[in-house]
Amino acid sequence: MHNRRNFLKLSAGAAIGGLTAAMPASAQQRQCNEINWDESVDVLVVGSGFAGLSAAINAKRQQVGSVLVLEKMQVIGGNSAINGGWLAIPKNPIQLAQGINDDSPEELVNDQIISGRGMQNVEMLKVIADRALDSYDLCIETGVKFREGFNIQVGGHNKARAIRTQHGTGGDITTKLFEAGKKEGVEYRLQHYIEDFIMDGQEIVGVKVRKNYRFPDLNTGKTIYIKANKAVILAHGGFAQNMKLREAVDPSLDPTLDCTNAHGATGEVTLTAMANGALPVHMNLIQTGHWGSPDEGGFGWSNALLSIGWHQGAAISVLNGKRFMDERADRKTCSEAIMKNRYADNSPAYPIVLFNYENYAEDDRVVRSLRDKMAWKLDTLDDVAKQFNIPAAELKKTIKEYNQHVTDRKDPLFNRKMDTAEVLTGPFVVSRIWPKVHYCMGGLKTDLGGRVIDGRTMEPIRKMYAIGEATGGIHGEARLSSTSCLECLAMGIIVSETIKSDL
């Protein structure tokens, strides 16, 4: 119990979705009661996804004292636990075993500069890429298993450098980081919702927390105060599930789009940080995942299924039976091309992706997609045309032309890299596609060490750090596939070093 006098600075709009929290802190803060701390900890981590779990275990290893992770939901892992388990690592052992020896952190950053379209933070991308092998090692030493021999080139990358967890889910990583952290002395608590920060001038000294909170009911649980002696790390993720905030920062984003995120990705801690002076950047840059399927909800299987389709198959418009994009371009390029497929009344004309069935009949990506009826096995192009109401003659003409491009290993229509493309003969695996809201490139501005920048002074807020999707301005206009997990793991390592250096 600590009774040191401090002053609460309440931000009245800190509730879920409370947009008033985004107003300048000076308009909302007011001094009130003396704090009677219920407990204290040295390092407090908010959020239990890749970033929070990495930061927690690495802070413990830096010997900066006690570490407590607070998670508002009923399970550990946040949004990370349901992602696809992809991780971009230049010079990873599988890549080297495949004979790819010319990759490097610099090559990865060069790809990210292209996808960022001039809006990226190059220095931050370099810092993260330089710690890629450290991030991979963290996974291996904590027991994460990756698919044997699996390392592929994913959209927007110029090299095959994306490995994937054994079960194709980020839960393979969050589970192992959690287990390792527990063994090393990290404490984790579920159902703890951050109501506000406790500030002493330009320094965070603790948090006001609703303990035993039951999402999304703010009337559940009771309020406690936790003092943070050395650091508060904000690793609470993005805000893709906060519809009011999404609409406020990007009115052009189709509100009918499904979302891949967990329900807890509501961003209220970002709003609370902003209300206390933290500088937001790129809040309107919200990414859609072009691999979504309208035939399943949330993240689903489509992401995994299309890791085959983008490489070995083709995307076809149901409106005219023609290809319409480079299937291996980055997410932003593909999403924009897909969403142009609309009927006269502006409703979605869901394009299809098809590839050969026989080569992948036993692949779990195909088996579970067919089982759950978000993909179909069809024997002929006439069957495909009939099921999806595509002009049959045009579809056949398109596939004949595509097959010639495969044979030539050259795509004169969209300049797609054809090294992995297969001649399409059928029977086919066919799925429908439509983008889903997936990732927030915007969030809190930090320096290279993860210190949160105060927008009023452009200096770091003392003892306040942010990492992962809670931050903004790193990736620019489009984040490349498999780089979020890398960013979170790497920044968890980096921020722990920063905290130690700041003591």
Side-chain angles (χ1 to χ4, degrees):
M1 179 80 70
H2 290 250
N3 291 315
R4 175 189 168 193
R5 177 181 293 274
N6 267 301
F7 296 98
L8 262 177
K9 292 184 175 180
L10 289 176
S11 44
I16 284 179
L19 296 183
T20 53
M23 296 170 61
S26 59
Q28 298 195 36
Q29 292 176 350
R30 61 188 174 91
Q31 294 181 340
C32 51
N33 303 319
E34 180 179 338
I35 301 299
N36 289 317
W37 300 104
D38 292 280
E39 57 186 298
S40 69
V41 64
D42 291 316
V43 176
L44 182 72
V45 182
V46 180
S48 69
F50 296 139
L53 294 170
S54 174
I57 193 169
N58 283 291
K60 197 67 182 175
R61 292 176 178 182
Q62 288 289 342
Q63 299 182 329
V64 294
S66 57
V67 179
L68 172 63
V69 177
L70 300 182
E71 167 58 53
K72 73 178 178 184
M73 303 301 281
Q74 288 91 338
V75 293
I76 287 288
N79 204 46
S80 301
I82 62 169
N83 94 339
W86 296 91
L87 182 56
I89 304 291
K91 294 193 175 299
N92 73 72
I94 303 172
Q95 182 191 56
L96 296 176
Q98 291 174 339
I100 303 171
N101 299 305
D102 58 347
D103 199 12
S104 66
E106 291 77 16
E107 284 284 314
L108 171 58
V109 172
N110 288 338
D111 289 343
Q112 293 176 297
I113 290 172
I114 294 171
S115 65
R117 295 164 170 80
M119 297 289 283
Q120 70 285 344
N121 183 331
V122 176
E123 292 306 312
M124 184 66 89
L125 292 173
K126 289 180 179 177
V127 165
I128 294 168
D130 284 342
R131 305 304 290 268
L133 283 176
D134 291 339
S135 303
Y136 174 80
D137 290 342
L138 174 65
C139 291
I140 297 301
E141 71 179 69
T142 53
V144 178
K145 295 189 181 301
F146 292 96
R147 295 188 175 199
E148 190 173 347
F150 187 92
N151 176 72
I152 69 171
Q153 182 178 346
V154 291
H157 293 258
N158 81 89
K159 295 282 191 299
R161 59 168 74 99
I163 57 177
R164 197 163 192 225
T165 57
Q166 183 179 30
H167 299 102
T169 171
D172 283 355
I173 297 175
T174 56
T175 300
K176 294 302 181 183
L177 291 179
F178 167 69
E179 292 173 349
K182 281 194 74 173
K183 289 179 182 175
E184 297 184 30
V186 176
E187 184 180 356
Y188 304 87
R189 293 187 199 163
L190 302 173
Q191 295 179 267
H192 279 61
Y193 171 82
I194 302 297
E195 290 188 309
D196 209 345
F197 297 165
I198 301 167
M199 305 293 294
D200 185 358
Q202 203 177 22
E203 175 178 323
I204 187 168
V205 294
V207 291
K208 178 186 178 185
V209 184
R210 184 156 286 271
K211 178 181 179 181
N212 295 330
Y213 161 75
R214 191 171 66 250
F215 178 85
D217 187 353
L218 285 172
N219 295 316
T220 54
K222 69 171 187 177
T223 295
I224 63 170
Y225 296 91
I226 302 177
K227 188 172 184 291
N229 298 317
K230 298 177 180 176
V232 174
I233 303 173
L234 307 179
H236 53 276
F239 56 87
Q241 286 283 12
N242 187 330
M243 295 298 290
K244 288 184 179 179
L245 182 55
R246 272 172 45 183
E247 183 179 6
V249 299
D250 184 4
S252 70
L253 191 62
D254 185 343
T256 67
L257 290 179
D258 192 5
C259 180
T260 66
N261 285 197
H263 291 299
T266 45
E268 67 277 358
V269 180
T270 294
L271 297 174
T272 303
M274 290 162 59
N276 284 283
L279 177 67
V281 290
H282 295 180
M283 292 291 283
N284 63 321
L285 298 182
I286 301 173
Q287 184 175 67
T288 53
H290 63 298
W291 31 257
S293 165
D295 297 301
E296 60 180 356
F299 200 93
W301 300 131
S302 188
N303 168 270
L305 184 71
L306 291 176
S307 65
I308 304 174
W310 299 138
H311 279 267
Q312 281 79 31
I316 304 293
S317 171
V318 299
L319 297 172
N320 55 26
K322 297 181 179 179
R323 287 178 65 220
F324 57 92
M325 67 177 188
D326 170 5
E327 292 87 345
R328 290 174 61 178
D330 66 38
R331 290 168 170 173
K332 181 177 175 62
T333 301
C334 290
S335 287
E336 291 175 352
I338 292 169
M339 285 194 284
K340 290 178 181 176
N341 286 268
R342 294 181 181 274
Y343 294 111
D345 64 358
N346 205 39
S347 61
Y350 301 126
I352 62 166
V353 173
L354 74 165
F355 58 90
N356 292 325
Y357 170 76
E358 297 296 347
N359 293 342
Y360 309 94
E362 304 301 322
D363 191 303
D364 64 341
R365 292 169 288 182
V366 171
V367 172
R368 63 194 185 189
S369 296
L370 296 177
R371 178 198 66 195
D372 292 347
K373 302 185 186 307
M374 52 74 54
W376 295 266
K377 175 178 174 291
L378 298 170
D379 291 332
T380 68
L381 290 177
D382 283 319
D383 293 338
V384 175
K386 182 179 179 181
Q387 174 143 339
F388 298 101
N389 196 28
I390 303 172
E394 194 59 51
L395 176 61
K396 293 177 182 176
K397 180 180 177 182
T398 295
I399 297 304
K400 181 179 180 181
E401 179 184 57
Y402 172 82
N403 285 340
Q404 185 60 53
H405 296 162
V406 175
T407 301
D408 297 340
R409 286 291 188 251
K410 187 175 182 180
D411 176 17
L413 297 181
F414 302 101
N415 199 31
R416 166 180 158 184
K417 191 174 181 179
M418 301 296 279
D419 57 332
T420 54
E422 295 178 352
V423 171
L424 297 175
T425 58
F428 307 100
V429 175
V430 190
S431 65
R432 303 197 298 174
I433 54 173
W434 199 251
K436 296 182 179 182
V437 178
H438 180 58
Y439 185 86
C440 299
M441 272 82 70
L444 305 176
K445 175 69 175 178
T446 72
D447 66 10
L448 298 182
R451 304 176 186 89
V452 175
I453 300 300
D454 191 321
R456 298 162 296 187
T457 63
M458 299 305 291
E459 296 293 329
I461 300 174
R462 290 189 295 276
K463 298 182 181 177
M464 186 187 294
Y465 306 84
I467 55 174
E469 197 178 351
T471 66
I474 297 174
H475 297 278
E477 284 201 30
R479 179 180 67 75
L480 287 183
S481 171
S482 68
T483 59
S484 175
C485 182
L486 167 60
E487 176 198 342
C488 291
L489 296 174
M491 287 307 300
I493 298 170
I494 291 166
V495 79
S496 68
E497 297 169 349
T498 302
I499 291 168
K500 186 167 186 177
S501 71
D502 287 348
L503 296 177

